[in-house]
Amino acid sequence: MLKRIAVMTSGGDSPGMNAAIRAVVRVAIHEGVEVWGIYNGYAGMYEDKMVQLDSRSVGDILQRGGTFLGTARCEEFRTTEGRQRAFENLRRHGIEGVVIIGGDGSMTGAELLSDLGIAVVGLPGTIDNDIWGTDYTIGFDTATNTVVDAINKLRDTASSHGRVIVVEVMGRNSGWIAMTAGLAGGAEHILIPEISVNLDELCEKLRQSHDSGKKYSVVVVAEGAGSAVEIGKKIVDCSGLDTRVSVLGHIQRGGSPSVFDRILASTLGEHATLALISGISNVMFGSRSGGVVTIDLADAIGHKRTIDPSMFRLANLLSK
Ligand code: ADP
């Protein structure tokens, strides 16, 4: 049974990270375990920026996006010396285990940290939903709801003017946000990195649907599939249709977490903390078919998360 643990957020922020930190802190304290917060991810571990937290430290954060501990990217942690220094900082404070909330890069760092002899448990925190082993990552639901809200608004103006609207969404190399928000938002076309699309054919389809009476079209582009500005230009060139581009950007990373993300973060946070305290290490907690699952960190980082082709097919079918 561990007596002192720490929690941190790392990599890109995502709505629901605060809910996860809150769960870790309060479950640990309930179990009689001391809990510390590490600021700015591996950077704070490396620079020894960490403090003991109590239940009040995590008050008033559940409803807030972002992460009150801060998050960062830390190049030093990629080196053996950097990780050793971070590990020694933890050891000096008597910290025996860490809950690391972040994306796949952060999970890779977590596994390397555990090699040095400290217990580590991961929680998938990223808007991109690109981590293998879990159906959903913390923040994805909120981000896709933000995108769908934006698509709804863009539809109003596209409809009024009879335009093509090209919306660029985040997701790094993954098409999950584009595909899910595209299906939920009724996009006519969805461009994702996992499936290549011929732009000339896309133009032809837009032209045909315009000629057959569609008043307007929404094209959702995942950032990993190309630049919406470039794709918008191409559509104008090859179809002549009145086209506008909207790059949603960092608005997708902010905002109050959805109910789904709060429940996911709280539930996974509880499981991760109880496991870590009991001595379990080197795993990530995730959600599959509505239940909580444990995934070996090596598996989570060793596999590539793929998209669900049936969702993509359905989005295409329903947008005709
Ligand atoms: P995310 O966790 O959102 O995928 P990054 O890929 O930027 O974000 O990873 C966050 C941090 O995790 C990095 O800044 C680095 O400190 C650490 N990290 C990522 N990959 C590695 C690696 N291969 N070895 C060691 N540390 C890593």
Side-chain angles (χ1 to χ4, degrees):
M1 171 100 177
L2 274 53
K3 282 280 152 225
R4 186 175 296 162
I5 66 168
V7 59
M8 69 178 220
T9 45
S10 169
D13 67 333
S14 71
M17 281 183 159
N18 275 326
I21 298 167
R22 171 177 175 269
V24 172
V25 170
R26 292 192 173 163
V27 168
I29 289 170
H30 180 258
E31 294 296 315
V33 171
E34 200 176 287
V35 55
W36 286 49
I38 302 170
Y39 291 111
N40 302 325
Y42 294 117
M45 200 184 272
Y46 175 79
E47 291 161 8
D48 195 15
K49 300 238 166 70
M50 47 191 100
V51 291
Q52 190 181 344
L53 301 174
D54 61 19
S55 280
R56 297 284 69 75
S57 318
V58 291
D60 202 26
I61 63 168
L62 175 65
Q63 75 281 15
R64 297 183 200 282
T67 156
F68 94 103
L69 286 175
T71 183
R73 297 199 155 97
C74 173
E75 286 311 307
E76 290 88 347
F77 195 79
R78 293 178 184 272
T79 66
T80 312
E81 301 73 37
R83 286 195 294 278
Q84 189 62 36
R85 176 169 148 178
F87 170 70
E88 275 157 21
N89 286 335
L90 294 173
R91 210 166 46 180
R92 203 171 37 256
H93 293 297
I95 291 165
E96 302 161 292
V98 192
V99 178
I100 295 175
I101 308 161
D104 54 354
S106 302
M107 295 305 120
T108 305
E111 208 201 14
L112 291 167
L113 180 66
S114 77
D115 289 345
L116 299 178
I118 188 156
V120 172
V121 167
L123 288 181
T126 164
I127 63 166
D128 302 336
N129 211 33
D130 60 349
I131 300 186
W132 188 87
T134 183
D135 291 343
Y136 297 107
T137 57
I138 297 164
F140 169 70
D141 181 69
T142 307
T144 44
N145 274 292
T146 301
V147 174
V148 170
D149 182 52
I151 291 175
N152 291 342
K153 289 173 174 147
L154 291 165
R155 275 180 171 281
D156 290 344
T157 169
S159 166
S160 304
H161 287 270
R163 281 176 174 150
V164 175
I165 289 272
V166 185
V167 191
E168 184 179 309
V169 304
M170 283 183 161
R172 293 216 272 186
N173 299 317
S174 162
W176 268 98
I177 294 180
M179 187 184 62
T180 308
L183 173 58
E188 273 68 24
H189 299 279
I190 303 169
L191 308 189
I192 56 175
E194 294 86 348
I195 298 177
S196 65
V197 168
N198 180 313
L199 285 182
D200 289 319
E201 279 172 25
L202 173 75
C203 286
E204 187 50 35
K205 284 184 190 156
L206 285 167
R207 189 71 270 156
Q208 279 169 5
S209 51
H210 186 84
D211 291 346
S212 70
K214 260 213 186 221
K215 267 179 80 182
Y216 68 98
S217 294
V218 175
V219 181
V220 176
V221 181
E223 62 181 345
S227 145
V229 173
E230 296 303 317
I231 291 165
K233 275 191 200 137
K234 169 85 181 168
I235 291 172
V236 174
D237 287 347
C238 65
S239 73
L241 293 168
D242 190 13
T243 301
R244 292 292 184 276
V245 171
S246 180
V247 180
L248 298 186
H250 280 75
I251 195 166
Q252 295 160 92
R253 294 254 288 260
S256 183
S258 66
V259 171
F260 182 91
D261 276 328
R262 294 183 198 196
I263 303 292
L264 182 68
S266 302
T267 311
L268 296 186
E270 182 200 19
H271 279 79
T273 309
L274 292 177
L276 183 67
I277 290 170
S278 76
I280 291 172
S281 180
N282 246 311
V283 295
M284 183 188 86
F285 279 81
S287 164
R288 235 182 276 155
S289 306
V292 174
V293 291
T294 331
I295 304 118
D296 284 343
L297 273 177
D299 278 339
I301 59 188
H303 292 84
K304 189 170 163 42
R305 177 86 196 271
T306 52
I307 55 141
D308 178 353
S310 67
M311 269 177 90
F312 190 77
R313 187 194 51 77
L314 183 61
N316 275 332
L317 185 152
L318 298 182
S319 66
K320 294 277 183 302

